[in-house]
Amino acid sequence: NYIDKYNALRKLKNNRDSAAYDAIERAIKDDFWAVRKAGLDNSKNLAKARSENTLSLIKNLAEKDEKSAVREAAYAALARSFEDEISIEFLEKGTQDISYNVVSSSLDAIYEKDAEAGIKVAEKLEGEDNNTLMYTIARIYAEEGDPKRKAFFTSSLEKLSGCLLYTSPSPR
């Protein structure tokens, strides 16, 4: 079942042997979306050991998986493990996704690869009305540290109310 697979993947993620890599690769290919996501979340060592095959597999999931949580995890895995191999152009495809979580993950990946390109994409996405994306843009702008971003922060605070003023998404 899912919990058993999830717990096994967490234990295997630090192993560096072919059996562990095989299990994580099978998880990434699993029929159940949550197992695919868990496999992606634990794929760092697999990516180092079997980079070419893993890159192709993860790119395919980022573009084509039916579940947005898997696409989001795939973009995060690409940024984490394949920063040099993945192009900005590929990552920008994720910013066109229907899911704001995927858009946010793609924007994060772009920014981690090339801060200047990430800021340009963030500027284009400023008008989107979504808290997850707004937090990602705010983090990018805060790291940039440019005072010209004050208007973004002011308008973003005006959009938030209640507990949203005091909470933030989990760090990536």
Side-chain angles (χ1 to χ4, degrees), residues 67-105:
K67 294 292 187 177
S68 62
V70 174
R71 295 191 309 273
E72 174 188 8
Y75 279 105
L78 289 169
R80 180 178 58 245
S81 300
F82 296 103
E83 182 178 347
D84 295 335
E85 294 90 343
I86 200 77
S87 70
I88 294 289
E89 292 77 19
F90 180 85
L91 296 172
E92 284 180 337
K93 291 178 188 177
T95 65
Q96 304 300 313
D97 199 276
I98 193 167
S99 165
Y100 282 113
N101 289 340
V102 176
V103 173
S104 183
S105 185

Side-chain angles (χ1 to χ4, degrees), residues 9-138:
L9 288 168
R10 288 192 49 191
K11 289 179 181 177
L12 289 172
K13 77 176 183 178
N14 293 320
N15 290 8
R16 291 187 165 93
D17 59 58
S18 66
Y21 299 148
D22 290 344
I24 294 169
E25 192 171 320
R26 277 193 309 275
I28 292 172
K29 296 175 181 177
D30 198 272
D31 290 337
F32 184 46
W33 70 268
V35 175
R36 291 194 303 276
K37 181 185 179 312
L40 288 165
D41 292 342
N42 294 289
S43 66
K44 189 174 184 177
N45 287 334
L46 171 67
K48 290 178 186 175
R50 301 178 181 172
S51 63
E52 190 173 311
N53 185 46
T54 305
L55 174 60
S56 174
L57 183 61
I58 295 175
K59 281 176 71 174
N60 187 53
L61 291 174
E63 287 185 304
K64 298 177 182 171
D65 199 275
E66 64 187 38
K67 294 292 187 177
S68 62
V70 174
R71 295 191 309 273
E72 174 188 8
Y75 279 105
L78 289 169
R80 180 178 58 245
S81 300
F82 296 103
E83 182 178 347
D84 295 335
E85 294 90 343
I86 200 77
S87 70
I88 294 289
E89 292 77 19
F90 180 85
L91 296 172
E92 284 180 337
K93 291 178 188 177
T95 65
Q96 304 300 313
D97 199 276
I98 193 167
S99 165
Y100 282 113
N101 289 340
V102 176
V103 173
S104 183
S105 185
S106 300
L107 176 57
D108 255 340
I110 293 167
Y111 181 73
E112 294 304 318
K113 182 171 179 65
D114 181 342
E116 189 175 313
I119 290 168
K120 287 179 183 177
V121 174
E123 289 171 343
K124 293 177 188 174
L125 296 170
E126 273 186 26
E128 296 292 328
D129 188 21
N130 177 268
N131 290 337
T132 300
L133 186 56
M134 182 180 58
Y135 285 126
T136 301
I137 294 170

